[in-house]
Amino acid sequence: MIRSSVTKKPSLFKWFFASFMIILLLSSCADEPRPEAFLTKVPLIPKPMSVTESGSSFLVKPNMKVYYQDESQMKLSEQIAGEWEKLTGLSMMVEAFKNGASNGIILDGTDAQDSEKYVCGIEENKILLKGSNAGIYRGWQNIKQMILLAQNDPKNKVYIPTGLIRDEPNFAYRGTMLDVSRHFFSLDEVKEHIDMIALYKINYLHLHLSDDQGWRIEIRSWPNLTKHGGSTEVGGGEGGFFTQEDYKELVDYAQGKYITIVPEIDMPGHTNAALASYPELNCDGKARELYTGMEVGFSTLCVKKELTYKFLDDVIGEIAAMSPGPYFHLGGDESHVTPKDEYLIFINKAVEIIKKHNKIPMGWDEFTAGDLTGNTVAQHWHTPENAVRGQSKGGKVVMSPAKRAYLDMKYDSTSSYGLHWAALIDVKSGYDWDPETYIPDLKKENILGIEAPLWSETVSNLDEAEYLIYPRLLGYSEVGWTAAKDRNWEDYSKRLAEHSGYLERLGVDFYRSPLIEWSSKDILD
Ligand code: ACM
């Protein structure tokens, strides 16, 4: 028999009791005493420009919402809600803003859509993020870091200290590079990498998509590049490549986190994989053997052949069409067997083709030998004079000096992975330099920013790569974001120490540098 209790009128006592409980619940939400917490003490990386505190805390609770004020913030709201759910295990809905909205994150836009400037205001019952969509996303990384730091003590509820952060980056370009050629990294590994770099407000991911050891991006008009040229890697392993669908998925995934992919096809040197895939690209018409060693500087495209420029046009055209970002990187480094006059002819033609496909030519610093005009970007890695020459031709510079910014250099002579031809780069040496003064003849306005490249000769998967990337990447994120006057090693090393707890929980295989007194306090300690 089904009881017909639904038809029975509740007694007066029940009404009273239910109302009492609701009032109690509401008042406990509103008035629940919040622990004191100090926003200025939170070890955020990169360090924000200005932080003021109001001494209370915001409690992370179930059923919070992201409120958007404009349709253009819908995708961003969903991104934030998705990341919140992943981080806290609590569901978060997206809703249009209405007066009095609280218990969640309120997005507020600005007109300055090209800026990453943001304001992050944390109150007891709401968090306000104001900026362009990219700015809001950068501001949101502070909240993510604070949740991760607060989760250090699983006994505590997750509190975020209240106060106001006003912030903007010192440099517009804050990048890292992943060499997927020497060893291939899968789509999932690159996405996982993107998740992590986003947390430190990195906004460019440079993918080194081709080299002597492997061609890693499908080119439909030259299918053998990946079929044959992608079939192996350093050490003779299986290799691999991204289909065009994979690549578009990566571009989209990165865009969701306001990160731009910079595609690189390295040429005219570093091209053995292509020369092995198509005999006609060689001056002698003979295919080269696939290469699985670690030497550099022995291969070159044939500068004199017209076919070489049809090849460039096809490759650059197909990649440019899938790449919404402004840059196409042509490599240009270490072309030791390309005669000097031919190198110049090649660079000039490659630059023209890149411009034809509406991209800004970017190259390693040697490429400034070409007849560059207008908008170009030299990536300084080796020779300061080359960077200054790029500037004198009207170009901009990204700073990646190998002695300071190469993530593939060992920390010290005992490092498990890495090389040491440029330097040993411990965590302090990676942090303690200034891109604005490193090459005295470069003007600040011509420095786009910094990039920390990871070459992958000695690391064959993301776990191994993490040992080289972390914790140094946190330092590079601060070198790129925070003005030199607000940076110092003593303060940074103390903040870095507190990031170890969540890095461990996230399974990041970071190097426990003996220069850091690692600790993993809760945010309230
Ligand atoms: C480079 O390290 N060859 C740019």
Side-chain angles (χ1 to χ4, degrees):
M1 197 183 100
I2 299 170
R3 288 181 59 198
S4 58
S5 60
V6 279
T7 58
K8 263 171 60 184
K9 287 214 171 94
S11 70
L12 203 59
F13 174 75
K14 275 189 184 155
W15 270 117
F16 175 77
F17 184 72
S19 320
F20 176 76
M21 287 306 285
I22 289 167
I23 290 163
L24 192 74
L25 209 71
L26 288 176
S27 62
S28 80
C29 285
D31 297 330
E32 183 173 342
R34 298 299 169 84
E36 277 194 320
F38 302 101
L39 192 58
T40 57
K41 294 209 182 115
V42 178
L44 294 170
I45 295 178
K47 186 176 185 162
M49 190 180 252
S50 134
V51 180
T52 49
E53 63 199 3
S54 52
S56 185
S57 51
F58 171 97
L59 174 60
V60 170
K61 287 184 297 195
N63 305 320
M64 297 198 124
K65 291 181 179 157
V66 182
Y67 298 97
Y68 61 90
Q69 311 213 31
D70 188 283
E71 293 289 314
S72 65
Q73 296 169 326
M74 279 289 290
K75 238 179 126 183
L76 171 62
S77 305
E78 276 156 15
Q79 181 76 30
I80 291 175
E83 293 184 10
W84 169 280
E85 289 186 1
K86 204 167 153 196
L87 207 54
T88 62
L90 302 170
S91 73
M92 182 171 244
M93 303 286 284
V94 169
E95 212 175 274
F97 175 80
K98 49 186 178 308
N99 275 341
S102 70
N103 273 320
I105 301 177
I106 300 169
L107 309 188
D108 189 5
T110 66
D111 292 338
Q113 280 307 316
D114 59 341
S115 152
E116 293 175 280
K117 188 173 179 167
Y118 69 86
V119 177
C120 172
I122 305 154
E123 298 173 22
E124 287 191 348
N125 291 308
K126 57 179 184 267
I127 294 173
L128 184 78
L129 288 168
K130 182 175 166 70
S132 67
N133 282 357
I136 288 174
Y137 189 75
R138 303 293 173 238
W140 159 236
Q141 303 317 306
N142 300 314
I143 305 299
K144 277 165 70 182
Q145 280 193 19
M146 289 194 269
I147 292 173
L148 285 163
L149 290 160
Q151 287 168 341
N152 278 345
D153 186 342
K155 292 192 302 298
N156 284 347
K157 291 180 178 174
V158 173
Y159 291 104
I160 298 173
T162 55
L164 192 67
I165 303 174
R166 291 182 184 279
D167 199 12
E168 65 185 291
N170 192 36
F171 287 115
Y173 187 113
R174 305 169 311 279
T176 187
M177 185 199 85
L178 187 61
D179 169 9
V180 294
S181 176
R182 269 49 175 276
H183 282 102
F184 183 61
F185 291 73
S186 68
L187 188 62
D188 283 345
E189 284 180 303
V190 182
K191 284 184 177 175
E192 202 179 322
H193 184 49
I194 290 172
D195 289 346
M196 282 304 297
I197 68 176
L199 189 55
Y200 307 108
K201 305 188 177 83
I202 299 288
N203 63 347
Y204 283 91
L205 175 63
H206 169 184
L207 290 177
H208 185 76
L209 292 165
S210 70
D211 211 301
D212 291 320
Q213 296 86 346
W215 188 284
R216 308 299 182 202
I217 175 87
E218 176 192 15
I219 302 297
R220 294 200 172 142
S221 51
W222 297 74
N224 219 31
L225 288 170
T226 42
K227 195 161 170 259
H228 185 62
S231 62
T232 191
E233 60 184 12
V234 165
E238 200 179 330
F241 65 90
F242 301 124
T243 63
Q244 294 206 351
E245 293 314 311
D246 290 340
Y247 180 79
K248 287 184 210 156
E249 196 177 321
L250 269 186
V251 165
D252 269 8
Y253 191 80
Q255 263 191 327
K257 292 168 187 276
Y258 298 86
I259 292 174
T260 302
I261 301 282
V262 179
E264 177 188 355
I265 296 296
D266 201 351
M267 48 200 178
H270 290 277
T271 41
N272 189 76
L275 300 169
S277 306
Y278 285 97
E280 59 269 39
L281 291 176
N282 296 278
C283 285
D284 63 8
K286 292 189 188 131
R288 298 297 181 258
E289 292 294 312
L290 289 172
Y291 182 68
T292 60
M294 287 174 36
E295 296 301 315
V296 297
F298 59 87
S299 57
T300 183
L301 289 171
C302 185
V303 174
K304 293 187 200 118
K305 279 193 173 176
E306 264 317 299
L307 182 69
T308 297
Y309 305 102
K310 159 105 178 74
F311 171 74
L312 256 62
D313 194 39
D314 290 342
V315 168
I316 294 168
E318 286 193 33
I319 297 175
M322 300 185 287
S323 304
Y327 306 115
F328 187 98
H329 200 303
L330 60 75
D333 57 321
E334 297 176 313
S335 288
H336 301 322
V337 296
T338 318
K340 199 159 181 264
D341 54 333
E342 292 191 10
Y343 177 81
L344 297 181
I345 293 168
F346 180 90
I347 293 294
N348 293 344
K349 290 199 180 189
V351 161
E352 276 315 303
I353 294 169
I354 292 170
K355 287 185 178 166
K356 187 184 103 180
H357 289 287
N358 299 315
K359 296 294 167 194
I360 298 170
M362 185 162 177
W364 297 106
D365 61 37
E366 294 95 316
F367 107 116
T368 59
D371 298 331
L372 306 183
T373 53
N375 212 350
T376 60
V377 179
Q379 185 167 8
H380 167 60
W381 70 284
H382 189 273
T383 308
E385 294 74 20
N386 288 347
V388 176
R389 180 172 60 190
Q391 171 181 256
S392 71
K393 293 180 179 180
K396 303 281 188 220
V397 178
V398 165
M399 295 295 289
S400 305
K403 287 184 172 65
R404 294 296 193 142
Y406 264 27
L407 282 166
D408 61 315
M409 291 298 114
K410 288 175 180 254
Y411 295 91
D412 62 35
S413 61
T414 67
S415 291
S416 316
Y417 302 102
L419 301 171
H420 55 80
W421 59 264
L424 294 170
I425 306 180
D426 63 29
V427 178
K428 180 168 194 282
S429 168
Y431 177 82
D432 215 0
W433 63 287
D434 183 2
E436 286 175 39
T437 54
Y438 189 79
I439 301 179
D441 290 339
L442 283 183
K443 296 200 181 86
K444 159 97 203 269
E445 68 261 29
N446 293 325
I447 303 174
L448 267 187
I450 86 154
E451 183 183 298
L454 179 81
W455 301 98
S456 65
E457 284 95 333
T458 68
V459 286
S460 61
N461 56 48
L462 190 62
D463 285 345
E464 293 174 1
E466 282 170 356
Y467 171 89
L468 292 171
I469 299 170
Y470 302 101
R472 284 184 292 202
L473 189 71
L474 281 71
Y476 296 126
S477 81
E478 184 152 308
V479 173
W481 182 281
T482 309
K485 70 175 174 41
D486 294 327
R487 279 194 273 122
N488 81 73
W489 166 252
E490 288 307 314
D491 166 63
Y492 171 72
S493 59
K494 289 195 184 79
R495 277 182 288 125
L496 175 60
E498 296 187 40
H499 286 249
S500 58
Y502 77 79
L503 285 172
E504 267 169 20
R505 286 200 309 281
L506 295 177
V508 176
D509 288 328
F510 67 101
Y511 168 60
R512 290 186 153 265
S513 166
L515 299 182
I516 308 297
E517 287 180 33
W518 298 104
S519 80
S520 49
K521 288 189 294 191
D522 176 18
I523 209 162
L524 298 179
D525 293 343

